[in-house]
Structure formats: C-alpha cells, structure tokens
Amino acid sequence: MTKNHHLREYSTFQALMLVLLRVSIGWHFLYEGLVKVFNPDWSSFGYLMDSKGIFADVFKYMATHKDILQAVDLLNIWGLVLIGAGMILGLFTRLSVSCGILLLSLYYLSHPPLAGLQYIFPQEGSYLIVNKTLIEIIALCLLLAFPNSHIAGIDRFFQKKNK
Amino acid sequence: MEKEERKKKVKEEAKEKEGRLTGPRVIGRRDVLKGFATVPFLGAFAGAWARKRHIERELKNNLLEVVHLTAEPADIVPVAINSKPLRLGIIGFGLRGRHLLRATGHAEPQWIDDAKASAASNRLDTSYEDFMNQEDLNVVINGVCDVFNIHAEEAVEAGANIFRQGKGGKMGTVPKRYRTYKELIASPEIDAVIIATPDHWHAPMAIEAARAGKHVYLEKPMTWNVPETYELVKAVKENNIIFQLGHQGRQTESYIKAKEAIQKNILGKITLVEVCTNRNDPNGAWVYPIHPKAGPDNIDWAQFLGQAPFHEFSLERFFRWRCWWDYSTGLNGDLLTHEYDSINQIMSIGIPDSVVASGGIYFFKDGRTVPDVQQVVMEFTKHDLTLLYSASLASDRQRGKVIMGHDAHMEISDRLVINADPQSTAYSEKIKQGVIDPVVPIYSFTPGKKGIDGVASATEQYFASRGLLYTYRKGRRVDTTYLHMREWIHCIRAHIQPSCNIDQGFEEAISAHMATIALREGRRVYWDREKEIII
C-alpha cells in the first residue's frame, strides 16, 4: 500500500481535525511572526539573555554577538511568518512543520521548565518539564506522522505520481 | 461463473484504482476546491489582524491626544577640530578623576588593558568599545595634580595616552605634574581645570581657578560649607569663566522628556516628589579600597587636610574621606545633590523654603561620623510641593524617583513611565470611556527605542525595566559623564554657560547645606529668600 493510498483512509472527521490542527498552529506562528515584523524595536536579546539550562551559554553567546543576534532575529521573525503561512495554506507543509519543530525546540531548550529554574519573563501558567511549547512541538510531530496537506492544501497540486 | 465475474470486477476495479494513482494527473474542480480549502483561514487571519491593528492605532491616537512629548536632547555641536586644542589640567585622580579624564579621551594604559580583557570575557561589558568610540574633543592634558604620588603618576600616564593604547603602547607628550593645585592653576599652560578632589577642597580650588580666569569643571557637591558657596558664585561671575558642576544626570534623555511632560501639565497639580538612593555594598557605603603601597611618605597629608581640622595621618581617612564630616558632606553632598539636581532640572523648584532631616549611623559602625541612613524632607511652599529624600547604605531596595500629581504620576529612571491616576479629574472621561486604563502606562519612554508610544507590551516593559532591552541593538551607548564634559568644553569654545552652571550649582549647594544643618543641628532650617541666607 502506498503512503498516499493510506492517507485516503482517514475518516472525514479525522481529516478535518488534522487540518484544523495544522491551520491553528500555523495561525499561531504567523501571528507571532507578524507582531515582530511590525515592531521595529523587537529583539530576541532579552529572551536569549534570560536563557537557563545546559544550553544557556550558547543562547547568551548568540545574544551578545551583534551580527549573530541580527541573523537570529531575522531568521526568527521571517521563519515564523513563512512557517505560519505555509501551514495555513498547506504549502511545503513537511518543510514548514519540520522548521517549526526546530524553532520551537530552540525556544524550549533556552527556557526549559525544570525545577529550580526561574525566568524573568513571567509565565501565564504553571509548568514542570511539559509546557505549551513542548506540547506544540509534539502536535507538530503528530502532523508529520499524519500528513494532511494532500487532503486540503496547496500541496495537493504537487502530489507526485505513485508507482 | 459469478465467481469469475466477481474476480474480473475486482481486477478491473484494482486496475482502475491503479490507473488513477499511476496515470497522468488531472487537476479537477474537486482538487482545486480541496487545494485551496484552507485559504479562507488566511483571509480570516488578515481580517482579524487588520482589526487588531486598527484598535491599537485608535488607542495610540487617543493616548497621543493626552500625552504627546516631542522634546529631544539638543543636537551635539561638532567639535571644532581645527581650533586650537583646549589645554586642561586635572586636580585629583581618584575614582572620579579617572572617569572624568576618560571623558576627555584620556585613560590610563592599565585601564585600557583591563577594559579590553573584560570585554573579551564578558560581551556585555562595552566600556572599552564605548571609550574607543568617544569622539576626539580636541583637548590636551597639560597638567595633573594629586597629593598621592602613585595617583599623580597614573594621571601623568593617562594624560599622555592620546592614542588610547594599553601598556607599552605609543604615548604622546607627557603632562607636567604639579605638586600643588595652586601651581597648576597659575600655570600659563592651562586654560581650564577639572576638579575631582574631596568635598572640602572643591570651593577653595574652584575659587582660585575662577580668580585666575581658568574655566572650571567641578565635581559635585559644589561646596563643603555655606560661606564658600557665596564666595564661589561671586568668583565665577566676576571673572566670567565657564563653570560646569558635575551633575551628569543633566544629560539623561528621560529627564528631558520628563521636563516636557511637566511643562505640558500631564501630571496635573504635583504635590509630592519622592527620591531614593539606596545602596548596599561597601563601595556604595564609601568603604573604598586602601592602596596597598600608600603611606605617609607618598601622600602629602598636610595638603590633603587643607581647611579640615587637624588629624594625625590616617590611610582610612585619606581613602575613605566621605565617612567623615571633616572632609565630606555625607549623603547630602554625595547622593542627595544628584537627586535634587535632577528634580530641579525637571521642575525648576529652586531652593526649598524649609528643610528637616534625620538619620543615624545604623549599619557601618566603623568610626565614621556621617550617617549611613538618612531622610530629608524639603518644603517648597511657592510650588505647594514636598520633596522627600530617603537613603540607606545598607539596603538595595529601590523606591524609584516618583513625581506624584493629581492626574498622573511619573516614575523616572533611565526610562520614563507615566500612569494616569484612577481618581484623576482631567482624565476621568477618558478613563470612563476605557481609553485610559490607570494600570497601563499612558506614556512610556525607553532611551534608544525608536518608536515612542503608550502601548508597549508587558514583556517589553518587563525586560526594559531590568535593563535587558535595547542595550545592544540601538547603536552604541553613550556615557553621560562624557556628554557633560563635552558640553562644558563646547561652552568654553562658544562662550556660553552650560546646563549645570553656577546658578544651578548655587541652588544645589544651598539645598544640600540646609539638609546637613537640619540633620546635624536637629532642627528645621529655613531659607530667607530676600536676604538669601539660611536661618
């Protein structure tokens, strides 16, 4: 059985839910990105400087090197926008979702919600090891496991012929 | 038969299915619909986004109607490089003297090496970069004077370091070391002097320099006692010199904005101002390090004492002079003056009508005579205003610099935040309409930030208030001491008076002396405006 053949086995409800999950995560990424695009003063400096955990030094290194920081800001802002738009439209979805996982993993690693770590940025909830970033990462992994842009999404037009 | 037919049918179906998957792909209407099925979400997003932007813009415009501050720091006039270099002398090369000489572009080679090393190990330490970026002010250090030989020699090294090099680097002409301040001031090689000595020497040196026609940059506080205050004002005015008092806060951008906010009556009637200078480390409590090589053989103790009462040679008193009234003006001269001057800059309050003060030596029981905890209350009856100053040298809890008005209050640091008062009369309509929320600032300003608006996000404010925002991205940071020194040098060349001139200095000195008298005599002290005397 081919992969795509298998896809067609989703029930309507399953397909609908998968697409909704994809679109809503895409919406979240797109908004986070656009907010930063329209705020000329936004910088990841403060967030990176507040990093904790075993990779903290790496993130602080990024923050304190002007050129790296500029690149990080640019990649983050436009990464969020493109990933978001891609996921909503179902365009280059595998790539978008994979990049999203990478980006969120960096956020998670810079601010791991481990016992004993305190952050300047106030959190809106209470987390231990599992936080919303981690759940969003897992949701994106789920989208990789259950692709759906071939059902509803522009990727449908690029669907390759199967042998 | 039926079985065969069924088999055939299944085969055909399979073939058909296979064909559908492997045959040439045809994009049908169904495909187009499904392919673009999620595009409407993007449309919905755009709609929601546009609406949000609209609401934010409306809110901002509404706030701008209430608070619209436009003041910018005065443009810095370029240094006249082709003019003759200004010939400076420096008296006093302790902690502050070093900073002031760096502000003129001259650092000790050792400082350069240390700053470089510090920048290498800590990327956030930009002091080396900032110093190297400092513009050449076209000045030359021609003379130095310090009663401690080692400091004097370091001053000579710093003055010669015109190429801003580390140890072993290329040096320029070595400035002359003068044994006494009188010789330095009298020298025809000196046009202007920087004075960074202990408090009890400020006025005598500045008066001498003014009488010799030399321009003066004098560290705060302006004077050590009341009589010399009048004498210094007279000397500066009669000799028409350019005088700058060392309150570098005059250059702080947020103070300039704060002044505009007050002028535009955004706070309503202001009745109370609270300032605070808490610190909690030995250095902050004036327990400065004692130089390991210092001793009676390399310190001119008699010259250090000057007009102070006689005391046997004491390394402690020499290096930690701020702890004794004999040489110091205590918290009033060291820290209250900065706070007072900033409020005087912002609100033009002048000299208080009366002052009470209290305090004690509650933490540093090290033989000092100057209190380490102190409160001062100044009344300005003409302005219907009280200024409350409080300080502890044994707590780091900051209470901020807050100006409280009937309609709004303003907290000033390097940032500026204005919040409307829930009971405000002027903003009651806007509060009712929901345009103003007293919990959310109606105005916030962070230096270096491009946009100025009242709707900075909570995150932004959170980071900014901890100094984590805009530190790196928005160009280089500039040292206010450098700006203050630069202003003085510019004013000398342009023959105009600088921002912290002798009149501002007079108000600073008298206000601080009133607080000291109130504290030491345990009484309420008054200012007689007509006779211009403290009673």
Side-chain angles (χ1 to χ4, degrees), chain B residues 485-510:
Chain B
M485 182 65 76
R486 194 184 201 291
E487 188 197 6
W488 175 59
I489 290 165
H490 168 69
C491 288
I492 291 173
R493 292 197 166 111
H495 300 290
I496 49 174
Q497 289 298 330
S499 57
C500 204
N501 57 39
I502 191 70
D503 293 327
Q504 305 291 312
F506 179 70
E507 292 175 350
E508 176 255 53
I510 294 294

Side-chain angles (χ1 to χ4, degrees), chain B residues 33-52:
Chain B
L33 278 179
K34 287 189 170 181
F36 291 121
T38 53
V39 172
F41 284 105
L42 207 58
F45 181 93
W49 169 256
R51 185 165 161 67
K52 186 169 191 299

Side-chain angles (χ1 to χ4, degrees), chain A residues 2 4-5 8 19-20 22-23 27 30-31 34-35 38-47 49-50 63-66 69-70 73 85 87-90 120-122 151-163, chain B residues 17-18 20-25 27-28 30-39 41-42 44-46 48-49 52-53 56 122-124 129 448-452 458-460 462-463 466-474:
Chain A
T2 62
N4 283 334
H5 182 71
R8 290 169 188 271
V19 171
L20 266 181
R22 192 192 83 212
V23 168
W27 182 296
L30 182 60
Y31 183 66
L34 283 180
V35 162
F38 282 87
N39 178 359
D41 297 305
W42 182 85
S43 165
S44 60
F45 177 77
Y47 185 80
M49 285 307 290
D50 194 26
T64 51
H65 287 71
K66 261 186 240 176
L69 183 68
Q70 266 171 13
D73 284 351
M87 285 177 64
I88 293 179
L89 293 174
I120 288 179
F121 181 63
I151 301 168
I154 294 172
D155 284 341
R156 189 179 174 93
F157 302 130
F158 305 120
Q159 200 173 352
K160 281 192 188 133
K161 288 189 285 181
N162 288 289
K163 286 181 184 150
Chain B
K17 213 170 189 175
E18 188 120 323
R20 210 164 61 212
L21 287 170
T22 57
R25 179 152 171 74
I27 296 173
R30 209 176 153 73
D31 280 322
V32 173
L33 278 179
K34 287 189 170 181
F36 291 121
T38 53
V39 172
F41 284 105
L42 207 58
F45 181 93
W49 169 256
K52 186 169 191 299
R53 299 267 302 164
E56 279 176 0
N122 174 15
R123 292 283 306 184
L124 284 180
E129 195 188 333
K449 188 175 170 245
K450 270 194 237 152
I452 294 167
T459 325
E460 220 172 23
Y462 214 89
F463 281 134
R466 280 154 181 80
L468 281 171
L469 260 193
Y470 317 118
T471 321
Y472 246 77
R473 274 170 64 96
K474 306 300 166 194

Side-chain angles (χ1 to χ4, degrees), chain B residues 16-270:
Chain B
E16 196 186 313
K17 213 170 189 175
E18 188 120 323
R20 210 164 61 212
L21 287 170
T22 57
R25 179 152 171 74
V26 180
I27 296 173
R29 196 175 67 92
R30 209 176 153 73
D31 280 322
V32 173
L33 278 179
K34 287 189 170 181
F36 291 121
T38 53
V39 172
F41 284 105
L42 207 58
F45 181 93
W49 169 256
R51 185 165 161 67
K52 186 169 191 299
R53 299 267 302 164
H54 175 74
I55 291 170
E56 279 176 0
R57 218 168 296 135
E58 284 277 287
L59 184 63
K60 191 170 158 180
N61 287 341
N62 272 318
L63 284 176
L64 282 177
E65 272 176 32
V66 180
V67 189
H68 188 50
L69 303 183
T70 52
E72 295 291 338
D75 271 348
I76 299 178
V77 183
V79 178
I81 285 294
N82 293 330
S83 67
K84 257 179 33 193
L86 185 70
R87 301 170 309 165
L88 298 176
I90 182 163
I91 310 171
F93 200 64
L95 290 170
R96 191 63 193 155
R98 278 155 221 266
H99 196 167
L100 293 174
L101 212 57
R102 280 202 297 279
T104 71
H106 300 81
E108 309 139 79
Q110 185 63 51
W111 183 88
I112 297 273
D113 288 339
D114 293 347
K116 248 190 209 172
S118 173
S121 64
N122 174 15
R123 292 283 306 184
L124 284 180
D125 184 354
T126 59
S127 48
Y128 175 68
E129 195 188 333
D130 291 347
F131 176 70
M132 294 309 279
N133 282 332
Q134 241 177 244
E135 195 187 343
D136 184 353
L137 296 177
N138 194 21
V139 295
V140 54
I141 308 300
N142 265 3
V144 305
C145 179
D146 196 293
V147 295
F148 176 31
N149 284 350
I150 293 175
H151 281 179
E153 281 154 20
E154 286 167 349
V156 168
E157 277 188 16
N161 193 6
I162 54 173
F163 302 109
R164 307 185 186 188
Q165 306 255 310
K167 279 237 180 245
K170 189 181 161 194
M171 296 290 142
T173 316
V174 175
K176 185 172 175 189
R177 179 189 168 189
Y178 293 91
R179 295 286 157 173
T180 68
Y181 75 93
K182 281 180 184 283
E183 290 169 83
L184 182 142
I185 288 170
S187 166
E189 303 293 308
I190 305 283
D191 301 320
V193 291
I194 298 166
I195 300 170
T197 54
D199 298 354
H200 69 301
W201 268 117
H202 285 183
M205 287 172 177
I207 291 166
E208 177 114 6
R211 286 182 183 155
K214 308 290 163 89
H215 307 294
V216 174
Y217 183 106
L218 178 61
E219 253 317 310
K220 55 86 214 171
M222 193 168 87
T223 57
W224 183 57
N225 63 38
V226 179
E228 62 188 16
T229 309
Y230 298 100
E231 215 181 315
L232 176 57
V233 173
K234 197 168 154 232
V236 166
K237 293 202 167 174
E238 279 180 2
N239 294 283
N240 205 18
I241 61 151
I242 307 303
F243 177 90
Q244 174 90 301
L245 184 61
H247 287 297
Q248 68 275 10
R250 291 265 165 182
Q251 311 298 331
T252 307
E253 219 177 335
S254 56
Y255 295 177
I256 295 162
K257 295 270 176 213
K259 187 183 174 106
E260 191 192 358
I262 303 276
Q263 281 166 349
K264 290 190 171 167
N265 198 29
I266 286 161
L267 305 194
K269 188 175 168 72
I270 298 159

